[in-house]
Amino acid sequence: MPNTIKLRTDVFTRAARLAGYRSDYALAKAMDVNRSTVARVLSGDLQPGPAFIGGALTALAPMQFDDLFEIVPTQR
């Protein structure tokens, strides 16, 4: 069964606030993605893609992949 990547929403949100991002817009701008992408990934409507993952790791450094994301089996 293939795997997918899931955002650790609580850790991500806490890290963003601690890094000084007070809105999804400010965070999205730092991540170089659309604000709607941040909102949709946070709500679970969209899985994080390469641009989101790379942007999150850049904007929220020194957070690491395993801090912000988890690998889970794809549900069918």
Side-chain angles (χ1 to χ4, degrees), residues 5 7 36-49 52:
I5 297 171
L7 179 68
S36 63
T37 300
V38 172
R40 291 173 59 203
V41 171
L42 283 171
S43 70
D45 292 335
L46 181 68
Q47 293 180 352
F52 184 93

Side-chain angles (χ1 to χ4, degrees), residues 11-12 14-16 56-68:
V11 175
F12 178 84
R14 194 170 339 128
L57 295 173
T58 300
L60 301 177
M63 299 297 282
Q64 299 292 308
F65 179 87
D66 290 336
D67 298 325
L68 299 174

